[in-house]
Amino acid sequence: MTDHISVSRDGPILRLGFNRPEKKNAITQAMYAALVDGLIEANRDDAIRAVVFEAKGDLFTSGNDIADFMSGAGGPGEGEKPPVIRFLEAIATAEKPLIAAVQGPAVGVGVTMLFHCDLVYASEAATFHTPFVDLALVPEAASSLLLPQIAGHHRAAEMLILGKKIDGPRAREFGFVNEVLAPDALEDAAFGAAHAIAEKAPAAMKLTKKLMKGDRAAVLERMKEEGVHFAAQLQSAEFREAGMAFMQKRKPDFSKLG
Ligand code: COA
């Protein structure tokens, strides 16, 4: 159990909130595990008709906890799959509509999780940044497959190859944000959509989402492939340099590597 994910019900809506603002909502293994529990509950409970992801503080999330990356938490271990992997699989295969209310900057998995959501509402304060290569890592959550499909290869390259941070209007142009709203209009938009979904025929809704998402095998396969490279990169000298640079609040120096 962790308090760093808030879980609550608003009638037929399950609310899952990032709640670790002092660390910019960086996501730990315990947080992924709490999100997985919520998503399993949403699949199982007929009374839940939609899930809303939200966050406390100024950032939506700064992505995976980098200290966890450095200590090897979430890497391949004995027995059960690590929570981060279970989370990625759970958002890829969720049966009820997933809605995100992005109130501030989203980094790393905070962005790639949005490619699995059905509706994404962003406040004017939101930005979207996937600096995997800058951290000597590779894209995850099947984002190397999904972002080129959503945005086209060249726009995806701005985010995944250049590591460029984009704002809400640009993300809307890329195709993974539905609306950019004034901060005080965000909650109404996200929960308005969630309640509209909740009033519709539940079986038809689940089938429609399933049909729209199509065969998930390619997505799950890409996650696995990315995971192999991600795990190897975590052991690399270039990642050690990037991780140390983050901890020491300096720019990484890759000039002597490779
Ligand atoms: N993992 C672990 N800790 C993180 C974190 C992360 N992803 N993001 C932020 N934090 C921590 C910082 O280390 C800092 O901790 P401290 O107060 O104990 O020093 C605290 O959260 C506040 O972060 P800070 O960097 O001071 O805030 P900021 O407003 O200046 O910058 C960010 C915010 C998001 C731009 C910056 O924290 C950042 O770049 N984080 C890393 C993002 C990232 O690369 N994520 C992984 C993507 S794969």
Side-chain angles (χ1 to χ4, degrees):
M1 281 297 285
T2 173
D3 294 338
H4 291 150
I5 294 293
S6 58
V7 181
S8 63
R9 284 286 289 274
D10 173 0
I13 316 301
L14 179 70
R15 305 174 68 146
L16 297 175
F18 295 114
N19 185 30
R20 196 191 178 203
E22 69 287 358
K23 291 285 182 187
K24 306 291 174 187
N25 291 326
I27 313 172
T28 60
Q29 294 303 305
M31 291 164 72
Y32 286 119
L35 292 168
V36 171
D37 289 347
L39 290 167
I40 290 174
E41 187 60 20
N43 286 344
R44 201 164 39 204
D45 185 345
D46 289 342
I48 298 175
R49 300 293 182 86
V51 178
V52 175
F53 293 110
E54 56 189 343
K56 287 254 159 49
D58 55 347
L59 262 80
F60 182 63
T61 164
S62 60
N64 201 100
D65 188 291
I66 292 180
D68 263 16
F69 272 159
M70 295 193 74
S71 68
E78 296 290 312
E80 210 182 42
K81 283 180 190 171
V84 57
I85 303 296
R86 291 193 292 124
F87 169 68
L88 298 181
E89 292 178 354
I91 43 169
T93 57
E95 294 171 17
K96 311 279 173 70
L98 304 180
I99 299 163
V102 185
Q103 92 293 8
V107 186
V109 71
V111 177
T112 58
M113 65 180 277
L114 304 176
F115 307 152
H116 297 274
C117 290
D118 301 285
L119 293 162
V120 178
Y121 298 94
S123 112
E124 286 158 351
T127 56
F128 303 86
H129 189 199
T130 48
F132 298 111
V133 177
D134 297 320
L135 270 172
L137 295 172
V138 297
E140 35 67 322
S143 57
S144 63
L145 177 72
L146 296 174
L147 188 56
Q149 281 176 358
I150 295 167
H153 180 86
H154 297 84
R155 291 194 285 199
E158 280 182 39
M159 293 187 74
L160 296 179
I161 289 182
L162 273 184
K164 200 167 154 187
K165 187 194 295 181
I166 64 168
D167 63 11
R170 187 96 173 115
R172 187 159 185 256
E173 215 180 287
F174 276 28
F176 63 88
V177 163
N178 290 83
E179 275 185 64
V180 182
L181 301 132
D184 60 3
L186 179 65
E187 197 166 313
D188 277 356
F191 285 92
H195 282 287
I197 286 168
E199 286 175 6
K200 294 182 191 289
M205 181 60 69
K206 267 171 74 168
L207 285 167
T208 299
K209 166 156 177 156
K210 191 166 181 235
L211 288 163
M212 287 176 71
K213 288 285 180 180
D215 183 3
R216 300 281 81 196
V219 169
L220 295 172
E221 190 50 42
R222 179 61 63 94
M223 281 182 180
K224 249 194 220 157
E225 195 182 338
E226 289 170 346
V228 169
H229 295 299
F230 203 101
Q233 282 302 113
L234 283 176
Q235 303 303 319
S236 69
E238 55 187 43
F239 173 71
R240 262 194 308 282
E241 166 58 13
M244 288 308 292
F246 175 73
M247 296 299 175
Q248 294 164 1
K249 301 190 189 284
R250 62 172 172 82
K251 208 170 151 17
D253 176 8
F254 299 122
S255 65
K256 294 181 188 63
L257 297 166

